[in-house]
Amino acid sequence: MDAGAAEPERPDGLVDSGVYVGGVRRASPVTLADTFRCLQHLDDAMAWIGLRRPGREEVASLAAEFQLPDLAVEDAINAHQRPKLERYGDTLFVVLRAARYLDAREAVEFAELHLFLGPGFVITVRHGGTPDLAGVRRRLEAEPEVLALGPEAVLYAVLDRVVDGYAPVVAGLENDIDEIETEVFGGDPNASRRIYELSREVIQFQRAARPLLKVVDALTHGFDRYGTDEELRRRLRDVADHLTQVVERVDGFRHLLQNILTVNATLVSQAQNEEMRSLTAASFEQNEEIKRVSAWAAILFAPTLIGTVYGMNFTHMPELDWRYGYLFAVTLMLAVCGALYLLFKRRGWL
C-alpha cells in the first residue's frame, strides 16, 4: 500500500494523501476534501494522492477538482489498459503494468497502475497489490530536493519501481525455462502443457514491458520542451536502460520457448515412431508365432484325420482285412505330414 504495509485499505479507496511544499510533507489529510482545502491554503504546494480501486464518486470528485479529462477518468475506473502515455493540455495520464513473480505458483501476477500528473498534483490509482508505492513515497520523502522537482519526480520514481519489479520476474521465468529444458529432454509427458502456459505468461509480460518503451521514449523527447531537470533526465535514462535489458531478455525467452516447443515436438514424434516400430516388431513376431502354430496344427491334423477314418467301427470297410493296411495308413500319415512340412518350410512358416 502507499503508506505502509500495516495500513488498512479504506472503504473510499484512499490509501495515503500527502501535501508537500518544497519537497517536505506539510500535511497528511485523511480525506479528499481535506486534501483540497490544504492545497488552497498552502502556496506552491503539491498533493500526492494514492488510491486503490476507488469508486466512481471518489474519481469524480478528483476529476472535478483537478479538471481531469473524461476519457482518462473512464480508463482509470475500468482499468484493463495497455501501458501508454497521453497528454491532455497540462495533464499527463500514464498507464503502467506492474508484474510480480509468485514462487509458490510459479506464475506471474500483473497489476495495473494509473497516474494523473498536473500542476500541483499527482494521483496514483492502483488496481492490484503491486507495486509497493509506500516504498516509493518513503524514498522520495527522504530526498526532499528531488521531490521538490514536482510531479515528474514522482512519475520517474514510480517508473523506476515498476521496472525494478520486472527483474525478479525475469529471473523467475528464466528458472522456469531451465526446468522445462530438463523436463523436455527427460521425456516428461507434461512438458508440452507447461511450455504453452509459460509461453502465455511470457507474452503477457511482453505486453506489459514492451509498450513501456514508447512511454519512456515519449518522456525523453519531452525533456527540452518541458524543461525537465537534469537529475530527472539522468534517472529516466537509467530506467530506460534497465527496461531495454528486460525487453531484450523477454524477447529472447519467447524465441527460446518456441525452439524448446519445436524440440519437444520432435522428441515426442521420435518417441511415437519408436513405439510404433516396437509395436510393429511385436506384431511381426506374433504373426510368425501364429504361422508356426498354424503349420504344426495342420501337420498334426493330417494323421489325426487318417487315424480317425480307420478308427471307425464298421464291419464292411475297405482295407480292414488287408495285410498291409496298417503299414499303408502309417505311410500315408507320414507322407501327408512330410508334404505339409515341406510346403510350410518353403513358405517360411517353419
Side-chain angles (χ1 to χ4, degrees), residues 139 156-157 159-161 163-164 213 216 220 223 230-246:
R139 191 178 71 181
Y156 294 174
L159 275 171
D160 184 51
R161 178 65 186 87
V163 173
D164 284 347
L213 287 173
V216 173
T220 302
F223 280 165
E230 185 59 36
E231 173 63 17
L232 295 183
R233 296 188 184 195
R234 183 191 66 78
R235 294 191 177 208
L236 187 61
R237 283 193 290 266
D238 184 62
V239 171
D241 291 340
H242 292 167
L243 180 60
T244 300
Q245 294 174 7
V246 168

Side-chain angles (χ1 to χ4, degrees), residues 85 92 94 96 115 117 122 140 150-160 215 219 236:
L85 180 149
L92 189 65
V94 181
L96 307 175
L115 293 93
L117 300 95
V122 177
L140 281 178
E152 280 189 330
V154 178
L155 173 60
Y156 294 174
V158 172
L159 275 171
D160 184 51
V215 173
L219 291 171
L236 187 61

Side-chain angles (χ1 to χ4, degrees), residues 28-348:
S28 301
V30 295
T31 66
L32 293 178
D34 291 341
T35 303
F36 302 154
R37 283 192 290 270
C38 287
L39 286 176
Q40 293 173 356
H41 291 89
L42 293 174
D43 296 330
D44 298 324
M46 180 191 75
W48 181 354
I49 302 170
L51 303 171
R52 183 177 181 186
R53 298 191 183 96
R56 285 188 175 272
E57 292 183 3
E58 290 74 29
V59 178
S61 65
L62 290 168
E65 179 69 23
F66 298 113
Q67 301 300 308
L68 303 180
D70 294 338
L71 293 176
V73 169
E74 194 65 27
D75 288 344
I77 294 174
N78 297 327
H80 303 296
Q81 303 293 318
R82 297 191 70 180
K84 63 180 179 179
L85 180 149
E86 295 175 344
R87 291 188 182 273
Y88 300 89
D90 292 334
T91 301
L92 189 65
F93 176 59
V94 181
V95 177
L96 307 175
R97 286 185 64 83
R100 178 175 61 174
Y101 186 80
L102 304 177
D103 289 320
R105 293 165 43 196
E106 293 188 341
V108 182
E109 180 184 73
F110 297 93
E112 201 162 315
L113 172 65
H114 299 178
L115 293 93
F116 293 92
L117 300 95
F121 71 90
V122 177
I123 302 170
T124 59
V125 181
R126 287 190 298 144
H127 293 275
T130 187
D132 175 23
L133 295 184
V136 176
R137 191 186 289 264
R138 287 193 297 268
R139 191 178 71 181
L140 281 178
E141 288 179 348
E143 298 179 290
E145 68 282 0
V146 177
L147 189 54
L149 298 175
E152 280 189 330
V154 178
L155 173 60
Y156 294 174
V158 172
L159 275 171
D160 184 51
R161 178 65 186 87
V162 170
V163 173
D164 284 347
Y166 289 162
V169 178
V170 171
L173 291 175
E174 188 172 28
N175 183 66
D176 288 345
I177 291 175
D178 291 340
E179 291 179 356
I180 283 178
E181 288 181 329
T182 302
E183 292 174 0
V184 167
F185 289 103
D188 191 330
N190 297 319
S192 296
R193 180 183 181 86
R194 193 175 180 192
I195 292 172
Y196 279 116
E197 291 175 348
L198 188 57
S199 297
R200 185 172 62 249
E201 290 187 349
V202 168
I203 291 173
Q204 290 177 343
F205 193 26
Q206 277 186 314
R207 291 173 179 171
R210 178 168 285 280
L212 198 54
L213 287 173
K214 294 183 179 180
V215 173
V216 173
D217 186 61
L219 291 171
T220 302
H221 281 83
F223 280 165
D224 296 330
R225 181 177 179 180
Y226 297 98
T228 304
D229 183 84
E230 185 59 36
E231 173 63 17
L232 295 183
R233 296 188 184 195
R234 183 191 66 78
R235 294 191 177 208
L236 187 61
R237 283 193 290 266
D238 184 62
V239 171
D241 291 340
H242 292 167
L243 180 60
T244 300
Q245 294 174 7
V246 168
V247 171
E248 289 176 350
R249 292 189 68 183
V250 175
D251 289 344
F253 289 165
R254 188 169 182 181
H255 294 306
L256 182 57
L257 284 170
Q258 290 175 345
N259 293 336
I260 292 175
L261 185 60
T262 301
V263 171
N264 183 64
T266 302
L267 293 176
V268 169
S269 179
Q270 289 178 348
Q272 290 176 341
N273 290 338
E274 288 295 330
E275 186 176 354
M276 288 299 297
R277 278 195 290 267
S278 298
L279 290 174
T280 302
S283 178
F284 178 78
E285 292 178 359
Q286 188 177 23
N287 289 337
E288 291 299 313
E289 291 295 329
I290 292 175
K291 287 180 180 180
R292 293 188 184 94
V293 171
S294 299
W296 282 112
I299 293 172
L300 295 176
F301 177 72
T304 303
L305 177 62
I306 297 172
T308 302
V309 172
Y310 278 92
M312 292 188 294
N313 298 318
F314 290 100
T315 303
H316 303 287
M317 186 174 180
E319 302 168 354
L320 285 178
D321 297 324
W322 185 31
R323 178 185 297 272
Y324 301 105
Y326 173 75
L327 181 60
F328 172 76
V330 172
T331 303
L332 181 60
M333 292 179 188
L334 293 176
V336 173
C337 290
L340 290 174
Y341 179 83
L342 293 175
L343 176 63
F344 291 135
K345 190 70 173 178
R346 181 177 299 175
R347 293 187 177 182

